[in-house]
Amino acid sequence: TATSANTTGNWTALNHPLTNGVPPAFVFITDNWNPGGVGGTYNNHNTGVWYAGAGTNKWAIFNQDLAAMPANASFNVLVIAKRTHIPIAIRQ
């Protein structure tokens, strides 16, 4: 959820151990217009994600048209950590 503490202009930073300092993560988002079933803020803009790296070491959600990120805009976030080794089960 975008707040005054985590939002700058058209983007809001994610703050989670699965994403902080992890540039190779795969981060997927969708708008959540009804978080917790109590209503929410409609963010009528195309959004994207990017690794804000320098200075923050966090991923961010941004409005692609550079419109200001509205306070209380909420998102569903899926994080898939990049693996260098994928275990394979072998049955003999």
Side-chain angles (χ1 to χ4, degrees), residues 39-53:
T41 299
Y42 185 67
N43 182 35
N44 189 24
H45 302 278
N46 292 326
T47 53
V49 293
W50 63 290
Y51 187 71

Side-chain angles (χ1 to χ4, degrees), residues 15-28:
N15 186 14
H16 193 277
L18 289 177
T19 57
N20 293 351
V22 186
F26 295 98
V27 180
F28 302 89

Side-chain angles (χ1 to χ4, degrees), residues 25 41 65 67 83 91:
T41 299
D65 61 1
R83 299 180 121 193
R91 186 175 288 205

Side-chain angles (χ1 to χ4, degrees), residues 2-44:
T3 67
S4 60
N6 67 6
T7 302
T8 302
N10 70 315
W11 61 276
T12 185
L14 299 176
N15 186 14
H16 193 277
L18 289 177
T19 57
N20 293 351
V22 186
F26 295 98
V27 180
F28 302 89
I29 62 160
T30 59
D31 292 293
N32 186 341
W33 295 311
N34 193 19
V38 296
T41 299
Y42 185 67
N43 182 35
N44 189 24

Side-chain angles (χ1 to χ4, degrees), residues 24-88:
F26 295 98
V27 180
F28 302 89
I29 62 160
T30 59
D31 292 293
N32 186 341
W33 295 311
N34 193 19
V38 296
T41 299
Y42 185 67
N43 182 35
N44 189 24
H45 302 278
N46 292 326
T47 53
V49 293
W50 63 290
Y51 187 71
T56 68
N57 294 321
K58 294 181 181 174
W59 282 83
I61 300 170
F62 69 99
N63 285 331
Q64 293 182 353
D65 61 1
L66 303 179
M69 180 66 67
N72 300 315
S74 292
F75 302 90
N76 302 306
V77 180
L78 171 66
V79 178
I80 300 174
K82 182 179 177 185
R83 299 180 121 193
T84 56
H85 173 72
I86 300 173
I88 300 173

